[in-house]
Amino acid sequence: MTEFTGRAAYLQIADEFKGKIRDGDLAPGDKLPSESELMTRHGVSRTVARQAISRLREDGYAISHQGKGSFAALPGEGVESKRSPEFEQITKYLSEVRQDVRRLAERMEQLEDLVKQQGQVK
């Protein structure tokens, strides 16, 4: 059962598995416990178990395959194989949009400063 430490249970569980992966107790490709196994082992709800696995995926310590389960991974490994060309294209487009928005914000700031200066001259 997960001990109450003031830190969310799903983070404690995720940290436990990150440590096992970093220490080599779990090798990349090793199957991680299922949600049901985590629920039983740690005495948590399905939601907490799901959040723990989700956090591992987000942080690059797990790869999940529909119908097969989740498997240990090291952050940064296998990233290229998971990304489709469409994903890369969308990521590039969003980066360009962010740059455009930044430039627009800078121009708006310059215009606002100019309007303020003109208002002070009158």
Side-chain angles (χ1 to χ4, degrees), residues 14-26:
D15 287 346
E16 174 189 330
F17 282 95
K18 287 178 192 179
K20 288 180 179 183
I21 294 167
R22 282 191 302 262
D23 295 343
D25 296 333
L26 283 170

Side-chain angles (χ1 to χ4, degrees), residues 35-49:
E35 290 176 8
S36 296
E37 291 168 330
L38 289 176
M39 291 168 57
T40 302
R41 187 180 300 172
H42 293 279
V44 295
S45 68
R46 182 168 301 279
T47 301
V48 170

Side-chain angles (χ1 to χ4, degrees), residues 7 10-11 14-15 18 22 51-62 73-77 82:
R7 186 175 161 119
Y10 78 95
L11 293 174
D15 287 346
K18 287 178 192 179
R22 282 191 302 262
Q51 288 175 319
I53 293 170
S54 179
R55 175 51 68 105
L56 289 170
R57 276 196 314 268
E58 289 169 11
D59 293 346
Y61 285 91
L74 287 171
E77 287 188 2
K82 293 191 326 186

